[in-house]
Amino acid sequence: MSNRIAVVPGSFDPPTLGHLDVIRRAASLYDELHVLVVHNPGKEAMLPISDRMNLLEQSIKEDGMPGNIIVGSWSVGLLVDYARDVNAGVLVKGIRSQVDVAYETPMAIVNRHLAEIETVFLLPDPAHALVSSSLVRQVAGLGGDVSPFVPRSVAAFLDTGARGI
Ligand code: PNS
């Protein structure tokens, strides 16, 4: 598996400015970057996977990021199986706080045992340190303005009520 090919996996429900910051940084570090919308059975989703992929694609385009980013999805099987399929040797995760370290460390260790894949943690801009998809879901669901926390296309999408909540 190649250390020049990386995967940024996540629920992205919805994508936030923090996610976009990590994607932008990772895209500058690797030759090929897969942004992978993964079904997390532990979380009840607000948006279908297809909407999350479309929003990621629009946000990445809006941001003017380089052309080495591929948006994909994975809903059956292990994350490392996808990484093997695309020959990726690295997983990239954003770390906002000690809480994220505690959440991500066991997954990184399990993934390394499963496939000898390395997990690289990137620190997002502190401006995004307190932004989470779950807070955005809550604020949007209660009719609040989420535009300071999400890319423009995501704010517009949530504002139209297209999410059906
Ligand atoms: O954005 P999230 O919900 O915190 O992302 C978590 C995710 C989807 C990356 C994680 O749940 C995952 O990797 N799921 C795939 C299933 C898997 O491979 N599990 C075993 C190793 S942790």
Side-chain angles (χ1 to χ4, degrees):
M1 293 201 282
S2 167
N3 284 341
R4 302 303 317 146
I5 304 176
V7 180
V8 181
S11 298
F12 301 110
D13 186 33
T16 66
L17 289 177
H19 291 136
L20 266 285
D21 188 35
V22 169
I23 293 167
R24 190 183 313 107
R25 283 162 203 277
S28 73
L29 291 172
Y30 298 96
D31 294 341
E32 186 176 301
L33 187 73
H34 293 258
V35 178
L36 193 66
V37 180
V38 182
H39 169 67
N40 185 341
K43 290 182 180 173
E44 196 185 331
M46 172 178 77
L47 300 175
I49 285 183
S50 56
D51 282 350
R52 295 182 240 165
M53 290 174 70
N54 288 338
L55 290 172
L56 277 167
E57 270 161 4
Q58 286 172 39
S59 308
I60 286 165
K61 205 166 151 196
E62 260 169 31
D63 198 272
M65 287 190 210
N68 60 341
I69 304 174
I70 297 156
V71 175
S73 70
W74 193 242
S75 49
V76 182
L78 293 168
L79 173 61
V80 295
D81 292 336
Y82 177 90
R84 275 203 199 96
D85 281 357
V86 299
N87 196 33
V90 181
L91 300 175
V92 176
K93 301 285 190 91
I95 290 289
R96 292 162 300 186
S97 67
Q98 290 299 324
V99 176
D100 283 349
V101 175
Y103 174 66
E104 296 292 350
T105 302
M107 290 198 273
I109 290 169
V110 166
N111 285 325
R112 203 171 61 206
H113 279 291
L114 289 171
E116 290 183 14
I117 194 161
E118 293 295 344
T119 299
V120 169
F121 293 139
L122 294 184
L123 298 174
D125 189 307
H128 307 306
L130 300 176
V131 180
S132 70
S133 293
S134 59
L135 270 179
V136 169
R137 286 198 296 276
Q138 194 175 101
V139 172
L142 295 170
D145 175 21
V146 294
S147 59
F149 314 120
V150 296
R152 248 200 323 271
S153 52
V154 175
F157 180 84
L158 294 178
D159 204 36
T160 62
R163 65 199 185 280
I165 56 171

